[in-house]
């Protein structure tokens, strides 16, 4: 097992990883930007190294800085969390070259999954249904016309290197096609450094359902059931739950088995999430795979009893899946609300000093957060400041519990999305489990703005 791990991240996930390390008896090193000097992850780690100015490009994304912090502190491994360098194949390679274990999949697998059109092809060839779409990157107008004819309208043009819900364009009719293609390419170039795009059928009322997986270094992969993440605003998840209200045992077993088989062929190691869209008729299609731990991992932890971060660490240290995962008992229902520092009506980020931070507790409530009273939320990073997660014996109990926990959660000094979450939880369609990815647009009575 590792002696010392560096956590190449900030906020709640850095704290979450440090907690897992503490429980495993592993020493921890935090890295931080000048804006995060007083952060909880810095205080809670055994050692901490400043890696640069506030801007992520100069600190959390700065590979030489992160690696030199790891070398100075003599760590055995780096946990990248999510975002930042977590899906950067080059970073994983540099770790390898520096003889530091990267806690995640191999650089080759990260690269494959990072090219979404390639991941689609790969999964399709391994027997997992993908959204009908182009065979790969669309290389010019002729291919665009051909693919559009094959797919039909509406279709969606997506950046091959896309992520975070960015770089997508829906095209409703032929006349819009060329313009959308060109805009998508230039947006992709700007956001992701490559203009590559591909096209898929646009599913009009999909549900987003994803499978959590873990793979060890001995060829074995396991799935830990699914999460439903259809409550989104602008393709960004707001509420996640497990199990999905529309997944039954047979389906879970069949699809789970397909996913596991495909990933064993790929040689997938460590934690990952395989994302699907479910059509209104119940068809379910692969859209992408995220080769890292995800924000919403706690809902899976609560319904399986597995500590996913500890499992990641143990797998990276070479343990086999059975030992790393331990006993898995599916029970109950878990829901997570992402609490963002933003205006609940305009969605404008709300940075500043938190004056009151009173987190809820009680039976079945978990709060993953690095926020505290008097903390300053800097404007440079993601606006998510806390995750409120509850577990109930069933979905109805989880909803009741989440409602009361949201009521108890007091954050003052900045604006948060708590009022929006209250509205979501109070909605009758949500309660009935009848929703799709456009739920928020309907709730807000507009385009989700
Ligand atoms: P990202 O990598 O940016 O998260 P994804 O491919 O995972 O992008 O898609 C994010 C979200 O965008 C999905 O959850 C869904 O809401 C929407 N989306 C993506 N592809 C389609 C599609 N083919 N049809 C309808 N909605 C889609």
């Amino acid at each position: 097992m590792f002696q010392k791990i560096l956590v190449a991240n900030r906020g709640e996930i850095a704290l979450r990883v440090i907690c897992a390390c503490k429980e495993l008896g592993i020493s921890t090193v935090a890295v931080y930007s000048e804006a995060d000097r007083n952060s909880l992850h810095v205080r809670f780690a055994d050692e901490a190294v400043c890696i640069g100015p506030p801007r992520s490009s100069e600190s959390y994304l700065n590979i030489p800085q992160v690696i030199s912090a790891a070398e100075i502190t003599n760590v055995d491994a780096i946990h990248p969390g999510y975002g930042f360098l977590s899906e950067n194949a080059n970073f994983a390679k540099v770790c390898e070259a520096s003889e530091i274990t990267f806690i995640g999949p191999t650089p080759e697998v990260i690269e494959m999954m990072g090219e979404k059109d390639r991941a689609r092809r790969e999964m399709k060839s391994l027997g997992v249904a993908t959204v009908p779409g182009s065979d790969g990157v669309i290389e010019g107008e002729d291919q665009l016309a051909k693919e559009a004819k094959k797919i039909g309208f509406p279709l969606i043009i997506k950046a091959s290197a896309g992520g975070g819900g960015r770089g997508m364009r829906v095209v409703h009719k032929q006349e819009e096609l060329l313009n959308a293609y060109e805009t998508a390419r230039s947006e992709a170039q700007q956001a992701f450094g490559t203009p590559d795009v591909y096209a898929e059928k646009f599913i009009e009322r999909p549900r987003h359902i994803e499978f959590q997986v873990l793979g060890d270094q001995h060829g074995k992969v396991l799935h830990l059931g699914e999460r439903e993440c259809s409550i989104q605003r602008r393709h960004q998840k707001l509420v996640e739950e497990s199990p999905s209200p529309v997944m039954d045992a047979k389906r879970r077993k069949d699809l789970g088995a397909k996913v596991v088989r495909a990933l064993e062929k790929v040689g997938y190691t460590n934690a990952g999430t395989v994302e699907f869209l479910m059509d209104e008729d119940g068809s379910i299609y692969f859209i992408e795979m995220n080769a890292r731990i995800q924000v919403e991992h706690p809902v899976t932890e609560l319904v399986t009893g597995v500590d996913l971060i500890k499992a990641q660490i143990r797998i990276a240290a070479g343990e086999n899946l059975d030992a790393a995962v331990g006993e898995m008992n599916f029970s109950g229902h878990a829901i997570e609300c992402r609490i963002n520092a933003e205006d609940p009506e305009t969605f404008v980020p709300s940075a500043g000093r938190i004056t009151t931070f009173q987190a809820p507790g009680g039976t079945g409530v978990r709060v993953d957060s690095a926020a505290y009273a008097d903390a300053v939320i800097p404007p440079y990073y993601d606006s998510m400041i806390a995750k409120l997660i509850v577990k109930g014996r069933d979905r109805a109990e989880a909803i009741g519990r989440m409602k009361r926990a949201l009521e108890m959660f007091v954050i003052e000094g900045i604006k948060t999305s708590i009022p929006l979450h209250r509205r979501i939880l109070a909605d009758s369609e949500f309660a009935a489990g009848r929703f799709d990815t456009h739920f928020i647009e309907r709730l807000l009575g507009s385009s989700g703005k």
Side-chain angles (χ1 to χ4, degrees):
M1 184 45 79
F2 306 118
Q3 303 289 311
K4 206 196 253 190
I5 292 178
L6 179 141
V7 185
N9 216 300
R10 64 180 299 281
E12 69 86 19
I13 192 65
L15 197 57
R16 168 76 188 86
V17 175
I18 294 169
C19 288
C21 291
K22 296 235 165 190
E23 291 179 23
L24 288 170
I26 300 169
S27 304
T28 48
V29 178
V31 292
Y32 61 97
S33 74
E34 285 159 13
D36 282 338
R37 213 168 270 288
N38 297 318
S39 294
L40 272 196
H41 79 283
V42 175
R43 272 195 249 168
F44 201 47
D46 299 306
E47 292 169 70
V49 182
C50 181
I51 51 166
R55 262 190 217 243
S56 330
S57 58
E58 296 176 56
S59 49
Y60 298 105
L61 288 171
N62 185 330
I63 295 177
Q65 286 286 62
V66 174
I67 295 290
S68 58
E71 283 179 338
I72 292 166
T73 51
N74 200 22
V75 301
D76 318 299
I78 295 183
H79 194 301
Y82 51 69
F84 295 128
L85 297 169
S86 60
E87 286 171 291
N88 184 319
N90 181 43
F91 178 62
K93 271 185 213 158
V94 175
C95 288
E96 242 174 43
S98 315
E99 292 180 9
I100 297 166
T101 303
F102 173 81
I103 302 178
T106 60
E108 295 71 32
V109 169
I110 296 176
E111 212 157 71
M112 174 202 293
M113 296 307 175
E115 290 169 39
K116 293 166 73 169
D117 63 290
R118 193 170 143 211
R120 269 168 53 86
R121 267 200 315 274
E122 194 74 31
M123 294 303 265
K124 194 174 167 191
S125 76
L126 294 169
V128 179
T130 52
V131 181
S134 61
D135 284 332
V137 171
I138 301 179
E139 315 271 7
E141 283 182 39
D142 287 351
Q143 197 192 341
L144 176 70
K146 241 189 273 159
E147 298 289 1
K149 200 161 170 209
K150 193 178 76 191
I151 302 166
F153 294 98
L155 58 79
I156 182 166
I157 300 179
K158 299 169 77 169
S160 182
R166 292 176 308 151
M168 282 181 253
R169 293 245 140 191
V170 181
V171 186
H172 294 278
K173 43 184 194 280
Q174 183 72 39
E175 300 88 272
E176 301 165 357
L177 186 62
L178 192 56
N179 196 6
Y181 172 68
E182 272 157 9
T183 322
R185 276 175 62 85
S186 71
E187 278 176 7
Q189 174 70 49
Q190 221 169 19
F192 310 108
T194 156
D196 289 353
V197 295
Y198 63 104
E200 274 175 6
K201 174 181 166 200
F202 178 68
I203 300 175
E204 307 225 32
R205 294 178 166 274
R207 297 181 77 116
H208 175 119
I209 293 172
E210 59 185 35
F211 274 73
Q212 174 70 53
V213 300
L214 286 170
D216 67 16
Q217 296 176 41
H218 313 282
K220 194 169 168 197
V221 174
L222 178 82
H223 82 81
L224 293 94
E226 81 286 352
R227 294 184 286 258
E228 163 97 45
C229 313
S230 301
I231 309 297
Q232 312 177 342
R233 178 179 169 269
R234 297 201 171 160
H235 310 305
Q236 289 258 35
K237 299 159 188 167
L238 284 173
V239 178
E240 303 97 346
E241 59 185 296
S242 185
S244 161
V246 291
M247 184 65 80
D248 57 60
K250 179 171 184 318
R251 198 110 205 241
R252 179 176 304 118
K253 191 164 169 237
D254 292 350
L255 188 56
K258 273 192 191 159
V259 164
V260 165
R261 220 176 305 132
L263 293 179
E264 284 185 346
K265 289 246 170 69
V266 165
Y268 197 88
T269 50
N270 219 279
T273 296
V274 187
E275 299 192 331
F276 293 90
L277 291 183
M278 187 190 268
D279 211 338
E280 275 171 290
D281 69 3
S283 313
I284 190 156
Y285 306 107
F286 170 84
I287 46 169
E288 70 158 345
M289 171 152 200
N290 292 315
R292 54 167 159 82
I293 194 73
Q294 280 187 290
V295 172
E296 59 271 27
H297 75 273
V299 293
T300 299
E301 295 189 321
L302 292 189
V303 297
T304 58
V306 175
D307 184 317
L308 286 166
I309 308 284
K310 279 194 207 165
Q312 281 193 291
I313 295 170
R314 301 172 83 139
I315 286 167
E319 286 187 19
N320 68 39
L321 260 186
D322 292 340
V325 173
E327 208 178 322
M328 181 158 64
N329 292 310
F330 286 93
S331 82
H333 197 98
I335 305 179
E336 171 180 280
C337 288
R338 297 189 187 193
I339 314 290
N340 295 331
E342 65 189 17
D343 186 305
E345 274 159 33
T346 62
F347 298 100
V348 172
S350 174
R353 187 176 296 276
I354 296 176
T355 51
T356 309
F357 189 86
Q358 230 166 277
T363 308
V365 176
R366 163 173 167 183
V367 178
D368 280 17
S369 176
Y372 57 94
D374 218 29
V376 174
I377 303 300
Y380 312 102
Y381 313 111
D382 190 273
S383 63
M384 194 187 71
I385 54 162
K387 302 187 307 203
L388 174 58
I389 314 115
V390 302
K391 183 183 181 184
R393 270 172 307 182
D394 52 28
R395 190 166 186 270
E397 188 176 56
I399 290 176
R401 191 157 279 162
M402 181 59 92
K403 282 184 179 165
R404 75 93 178 146
L406 284 166
E407 223 175 284
M408 287 173 77
F409 211 151
V410 184
I411 303 177
E412 287 169 345
I414 55 165
K415 290 182 177 163
T416 76
S417 52
I418 292 175
L420 174 62
H421 284 298
R422 289 209 186 117
R423 278 180 73 182
I424 298 169
L425 269 288
D427 185 87
S428 59
E429 296 293 295
F430 178 80
R434 271 195 305 267
F435 49 76
D436 56 53
T437 57
H438 303 289
F439 173 88
I440 293 290
E441 288 162 37
R442 284 193 294 276
L443 185 78
L444 302 181
S446 71
S447 60
K449 225 182 151 186

